[in-house]
Amino acid sequence: GPSSFFYENRGAAFPRVGPASGATQVQIFSANSFEACTQGYVCSFTHPATNASLYSSPASPSSTSAIVCTTPDWGSVFPSEFATVTVHRNISVVHLPSINNIKFEFDFSEYVVAAQTTPLTAPASGGTVVSLWGGAFHFGPGSTRSYECRFASAESSVTAPVTVRSQNQIECTLPLWPWKAQTVSLTVERFNSTQMQDAVDFTLTPTVLALNASSGPAGGGPALRVDGAGFSTDATSLYVCVFRVGAIIVRAEPVPAVSPLTIVCLLPPWGDTVIESRTLLTLELNGSPTVEAGHFFDFYAIWTTVHPTQVVATGGDLLTVTGSGFNIAF
């Protein structure tokens, strides 16, 4: 925008940017330019392409050098834009020419209404379409302005391009969040430009995407890799792979996450107490359920020893086979 000083008396105005929804109080300073009057003053905000204007409510000066104008609801009429602002003495509905050549630009920015964002929580693995409502978005043929969503924590952030559905609605698809699941700040920005107001608290949750195996021996032992997103790698965070079928629950030993995307647990000895089964995998974090994985894992019966190891060829010897998960209902 132009310089903060807009004429020889070194007048200034701030802030010079605000949401197109209006209600931003703009302080205008201009030495010895204002006087007390019952009608007060108004600011006109003029659209550059159409020369149409919206007006603030009448305001009385706080001194001979200062006045405060409240921005109108620009977004209900126009998309985001720089508006030319002039100050007028207000006489009923007749607006006289601007006084003392006070003129500056105010950047009406697009805005997001945080309470109308859906959803407000999603898996850290990404892929969820987030719909945001607000106003003054540039939309339709000829629009050259683009936007992006930014999901940010204190340490990291990811961005996603925005699809503009209307002047009042935009959408973006949550990308993979490759760090610990947490509540982050969701903001919308003009691409390579300014951030809009009204950040949204957006909660990312841990999720399981795949297992590196769908089955394993009922005796336990082999490592099972759990791929997902949002796992905590804090020193105090320990995960437990929990396998269940009906009321039967068997837990693996607690392990730390290898990374925010991977956990590796050792299969517990399922078959020491029950027969081979199809189980449902869930995860616990420090003793509390954290992820309903929704992935099935099959424990199959396995034998470990045979006694005796030598028998006569004519048969008749009794062989004892030990192992895990044998179905004694056969």
Side-chain angles (χ1 to χ4, degrees):
S3 167
S4 294
F5 304 108
F6 42 76
Y7 79 111
E8 62 272 14
N9 287 345
R10 296 182 64 81
F14 63 90
R16 305 285 289 277
V17 61
S21 53
T24 298
Q25 291 191 326
V26 181
Q27 300 181 68
I28 302 170
F29 298 92
S30 180
N32 300 317
S33 293
F34 307 108
E35 61 184 40
C37 59
T38 57
Q39 296 87 0
Y41 294 83
V42 295
C43 292
S44 64
F45 297 79
T46 302
H47 187 258
T50 63
N51 209 35
S53 296
L54 299 179
Y55 294 90
S56 67
S57 299
S60 298
S62 56
S63 72
T64 59
S65 300
I67 193 173
V68 176
C69 283
T70 302
T71 59
D73 183 4
W74 179 270
S76 64
V77 182
F78 305 112
S80 61
E81 190 65 81
F82 280 98
T84 301
V85 185
T86 53
V87 180
H88 310 259
R89 186 191 302 272
N90 179 51
I91 301 178
S92 185
V93 295
V94 179
H95 303 287
L96 298 179
S98 60
I99 61 173
N100 291 333
N101 296 317
I102 297 176
K103 181 180 290 187
F104 60 96
E105 285 189 340
F106 185 88
D107 183 3
F108 279 107
S109 63
E110 304 87 335
Y111 62 95
V112 171
V113 180
Q116 296 182 6
T117 301
T118 56
L120 290 174
T121 183
S125 53
T128 299
V129 176
V130 182
S131 180
L132 302 102
W133 294 81
F137 298 109
H138 284 237
F139 171 72
S143 174
T144 59
R145 184 169 293 180
S146 60
Y147 309 97
E148 63 182 8
C149 288
R150 181 176 298 276
F151 300 83
S153 67
E155 302 83 15
S156 309
S157 68
V158 293
T159 59
V162 162
T163 299
V164 182
R165 297 299 182 189
S166 71
Q167 187 171 318
N168 300 311
Q169 182 191 11
I170 59 175
E171 290 179 349
C172 60
T173 300
L174 172 68
L176 169 69
W177 177 262
W179 301 282
K180 178 178 71 173
Q182 58 192 286
T183 297
V184 299
S185 175
L186 167 57
T187 56
V188 179
E189 304 172 359
R190 297 178 189 167
F191 187 70
N192 289 332
S193 184
T194 57
Q195 175 181 306
M196 299 174 202
Q197 297 183 5
D198 296 326
V200 180
D201 287 338
F202 194 89
T203 301
L204 299 163
T205 58
T207 185
V208 171
L209 297 176
L211 310 177
N212 73 321
S214 60
S215 62
L224 176 67
R225 191 182 73 240
V226 181
D227 295 323
F231 303 136
S232 172
T233 56
D234 295 346
T236 57
S237 297
L238 293 177
Y239 287 90
V240 174
C241 290
V242 181
F243 303 87
R244 68 180 68 218
V245 56
I248 302 172
I249 299 175
V250 177
R251 289 177 170 84
E253 291 297 316
V255 293
V258 177
S259 75
L261 306 178
T262 304
I263 294 171
V264 176
C265 57
L266 295 179
L267 291 179
W270 176 266
D272 284 0
T273 54
V274 291
I275 64 173
E276 58 183 357
S277 303
R278 165 161 288 190
T279 66
L280 182 65
L281 172 66
T282 60
L283 291 179
E284 290 179 353
L285 173 60
N286 296 337
S288 299
T290 183
V291 179
E292 293 292 334
H295 289 267
F296 290 103
F297 187 84
D298 294 333
F299 283 98
Y300 53 80
I302 185 173
W303 61 270
T304 54
T305 62
V306 177
H307 182 78
T309 57
Q310 292 182 343
V311 295
V312 296
T314 55
D317 291 321
L318 179 65
L319 292 177
T320 301
V321 180
T322 59
S324 300
F326 298 133
N327 191 342
I328 59 176
F330 286 160

